[in-house]
Amino acid sequence: MQFDLPDDQRTRDIVGVLLSLPEGSVVTYGGVADAAGYPKQSRLVGRILSLYSDSLDLPWWRVVNVQGRLVPGNEREQTELLKSEGIELINGRARLDD
């Protein structure tokens, strides 16, 4: 895949994982980092999402924190997007598969 991103392999790898998230799935920031080969880089995942979600059409709504909590400030939109993909929320949290 070719992205219009800074010449940073970590960013490219994380974006690749984000773009591969299937509809109806929910993953943690840490899960994305692990899948990209960068364990303990969950904050980097959040930064990449904040920088590139719009320009690369990244499915940011499929990423939650380790407790299943939604993105602060975007809970309403994220809830609607997740529900449209069949994700059930319980007490404002997404259920994470073990």
Side-chain angles (χ1 to χ4, degrees), residues 1-3 5-16 36 38 44 48:
M1 283 187 185
Q2 188 71 331
F3 306 114
L5 298 173
D7 190 20
D8 175 6
Q9 191 60 48
R10 289 186 313 169
T11 300
R12 292 176 186 274
D13 292 342
I14 290 169
V15 166
Y38 303 101
L44 178 60
I48 289 168

Side-chain angles (χ1 to χ4, degrees), residues 30-97:
V32 171
D34 287 346
Y38 303 101
K40 302 194 185 271
Q41 295 291 312
S42 57
R43 288 180 188 235
L44 178 60
V45 174
R47 179 148 174 77
I48 289 168
L49 281 168
S50 71
L51 290 172
Y52 300 110
S53 283
D54 290 339
S55 62
L56 297 177
D57 198 25
L58 300 176
W60 62 269
W61 61 91
R62 296 180 185 144
V63 185
V64 297
N65 79 8
V66 71
Q67 298 168 337
R69 291 191 184 143
L70 307 183
V71 176
N74 286 342
E75 295 97 342
R76 181 173 288 164
E77 183 180 6
Q78 190 172 19
T79 296
E80 290 175 16
L81 289 165
L82 289 172
K83 285 184 176 181
S84 76
E85 293 186 359
I87 301 297
E88 181 181 350
L89 301 176
I90 300 170
N91 296 325
R93 295 181 186 194
R95 180 171 177 251
L96 298 170
D97 296 326

